[in-house]
Amino acid sequence: MDARTLTDLDRKHLWHPYAQASPAVAAHPVVRADGVRLTLADGRELVDGMSSWWAAIHGYNHPRLNAAAREQLGDMAHVMFGGLTHEPAVRLGRRLSEMTGLEKVFLADSGSVAVEVAIKAAIQCTGRSRLLTVKGGYHGDTFGAMSVCDPVNGMHHLFSGVLPQHVFADRPPGGFGFHPGAPDGHGSGAGGSGEHGVDEAYLGHLGELVARHAGELAAIIVEPVVQGAGGMRFYHPAYLRRLRELADEYGILLIADEIATGFGRTGEMFGCDHAGIRPDIMCLGKALTGGYLTMAATLCTPEVAERVGVLMHGPTFMGNPLAAAVADASLTLLEERPWRDEVKRIEAGLVEGLAGAAGAPGVRDVRVLGAIGVVETVRPVDPSKVQDIVMEHGVWLRPFGHLVYTMPPYMTEPDDLARITTAMTAVAATLPA
Ligand code: PMP
């Protein structure tokens, strides 16, 4: 099909994420993806600054991941997981358990489902049904997951009659990462790394809220250190440590949603590693298969599993062998590659490349942590206008709300990274104050 036909038929038949059935702005047809580059149907090549929503950490069309998929296809693409098992799932389960210290693994089919499973497990485990989370979070689009997304920007107003009512702490203050202009490059005030900059009043707020609701809480659920799709905000690991202490003190479970932060994105293997804590339940997804196939996981301690008993969930494509084989290959690749150095190099490149955006009148904040670079704008952005600008620079980004951000694949070369930061800086210069 030519580009025009693709676009027309797409608009006629297909829904896209968070979109009308026939949106005013058409989606761009992609015909290939290699390394960090997307090739559009009209021949344009774009450096992908999104890793397809944080997932393609090794880049596209990777020979090792292709080989793993091909090899597994020769054996079986899928078999049911009810009553059957197979080597790809067993290998992946063992590996994830070794990586996280959480022995029991439920292989789900998307991040949102992994969060649903975590919530179900927490409710079944404790016999209590409310959750505590922090404002500004994002945990997925299914109902249970949506109920712990930020109450204002998380679609609650559309579904208020059917969403369970959970307990929301204030948004964690301050930041974690680079703030241009700060003397140590790590922000001032409530931001910064180490114990410096911890907001004692916020610690008190968390303590007070947990104490007040402890009797009804099954779990505390948070995204460790980085709140992703809820606003791309970073927060101090001390708040995560406090939540761990409070969960222990009151016999509540701690669920870490590492779907966006897992597998090195923030500079540590998992966001929880910044705080040196282990959750009772962890959700993984996105980069788990290197962005190849849809698979996620919910992990927990043997103690939680024991108390849950029969976990009441079982999707048709649970434990899919093809996805499990690619996930295992992707994790081998991650183990082999110097991802810490790569992420550090990207962090340094983002700090340097985005420094120029910080002074623009339409920019509220510029922040960087690991391989995440964020330009927060004063006013909401027009996504298609921003996309036009970055595409002129040969870059693919997907801005939303007040955010123009990047999470590039780990093997992004300095030149390509500079292309991304140049495009973001060019956008910043056009933003209204
Ligand atoms: N939790 C977090 C932290 C996420 O970032 C996302 C996806 N943006 C999800 C859950 C939901 O994952 P999925 O889109 O695979 O359902």
Side-chain angles (χ1 to χ4, degrees):
M1 284 189 205
D2 61 29
R4 185 60 199 261
T5 311
L6 278 172
T7 310
D8 289 349
L9 286 176
D10 178 272
R11 292 195 64 210
K12 185 156 188 250
H13 297 297
L14 297 179
W15 290 94
H16 282 262
Y18 314 106
Q20 295 169 357
S22 298
V25 181
H28 303 279
V30 180
V31 292
R32 269 194 80 88
D34 292 281
V36 299
R37 283 186 162 65
L38 307 175
T39 307
L40 301 187
D42 62 11
R44 275 182 293 174
E45 274 198 358
L46 303 176
V47 174
D48 179 21
M50 295 301 294
S51 303
S52 284
W53 275 333
W54 319 63
I57 53 174
H58 307 297
Y60 301 97
N61 204 6
H62 195 288
R64 294 266 296 278
L65 301 186
N66 291 0
R70 234 182 264 117
E71 199 177 311
Q72 183 54 42
L73 261 181
D75 292 339
M76 57 188 159
H78 184 66
V79 291
M80 66 191 284
F81 213 53
L84 299 175
T85 194
H86 44 78
E87 190 167 325
V90 171
R91 278 183 185 281
L92 181 61
R94 180 179 61 184
R95 187 193 283 262
L96 289 176
S97 147
E98 282 167 7
M99 287 177 82
T100 60
L102 297 167
E103 193 182 306
K104 303 293 180 189
V105 184
F106 186 102
L107 295 173
D109 37 11
S110 75
S112 300
V113 171
V115 171
E116 297 293 330
V117 171
I119 294 173
K120 278 189 177 176
I123 291 173
Q124 283 193 247
C125 178
T126 60
R128 299 185 290 262
S129 59
R130 286 191 95 187
L131 302 164
L132 183 142
T133 186
V134 293
K135 291 179 184 167
Y138 177 84
H139 297 280
D141 291 345
T142 51
F143 279 90
M146 199 166 45
S147 70
V148 282
C149 291
D150 184 82
V152 175
N153 68 20
M155 302 179 278
H156 286 209
H157 64 288
L158 292 172
F159 305 102
S160 57
V162 283
L163 284 184
Q165 299 298 305
H166 295 306
V167 180
F168 287 86
D170 291 342
R171 219 173 70 195
F176 187 132
F178 166 76
H179 283 248
D184 58 358
H186 273 280
S188 52
S193 58
E195 291 306 309
H196 170 75
V198 175
D199 185 333
E200 294 293 329
Y202 186 70
L203 293 176
H205 165 65
L206 292 176
E208 188 271 325
L209 204 62
V210 174
R212 181 153 26 112
H213 293 280
E216 52 179 348
L217 292 177
I220 297 167
I221 178 169
V222 286
E223 297 156 275
V225 178
V226 176
Q227 295 186 289
M232 305 297 295
R233 292 191 193 87
F234 313 146
Y235 66 87
H236 202 294
Y239 305 137
L240 200 53
R241 270 196 294 278
R242 184 74 184 123
L243 290 174
R244 175 71 277 177
E245 288 163 7
L246 289 165
D248 288 340
E249 190 178 336
Y250 291 98
I252 299 163
L253 301 176
L254 179 65
I255 303 173
D257 179 348
E258 297 260 13
I259 288 164
T261 48
F263 306 113
R265 178 61 64 180
T266 66
E268 294 286 348
M269 182 57 87
F270 299 107
C272 283
D273 296 343
H274 290 283
I277 60 136
R278 198 186 66 174
D280 303 294
I281 302 178
M282 183 190 273
C283 301
L284 297 170
K286 289 191 183 280
L288 174 59
T289 64
Y292 263 53
L293 286 149
T294 174
M295 174 168 267
T298 309
L299 299 94
C300 70
T301 60
E303 298 76 41
V304 169
E306 171 81 14
R307 285 170 61 198
V308 166
V310 179
L311 178 55
M312 292 312 289
H313 211 88
T316 305
F317 289 100
M318 172 173 184
N320 174 256
L322 196 52
V326 174
D328 196 50
S330 173
L331 295 178
T332 302
L333 212 53
L334 187 64
E335 220 171 72
E336 289 172 10
R337 73 180 318 140
W339 62 267
R340 273 182 199 281
D341 297 340
E342 291 174 321
V343 170
K344 255 197 202 108
R345 185 175 49 71
I346 291 175
E347 184 174 52
L350 290 172
V351 167
E352 191 190 329
L354 295 178
V363 170
R364 181 180 291 153
D365 189 33
V366 173
R367 47 189 181 264
V368 173
L369 179 65
I372 309 169
V374 183
V375 173
E376 184 177 334
T377 63
V378 173
R379 296 175 189 282
V381 294
D382 176 337
S384 69
K385 262 197 197 148
V386 173
Q387 267 169 349
D388 285 347
I389 298 171
V390 299
M391 286 172 77
E392 274 167 29
H393 284 78
V395 168
W396 174 248
L397 296 176
R398 170 89 175 163
F400 72 96
H402 290 79
L403 300 166
V404 182
Y405 71 104
T406 181
M407 310 95 42
Y410 298 167
M411 21 62 83
T412 306
E413 292 292 337
D415 283 1
D416 288 332
L417 190 67
R419 194 185 271 242
I420 294 170
T421 54
T422 301
M424 290 171 75
T425 307
V427 169
T430 68
L431 296 169

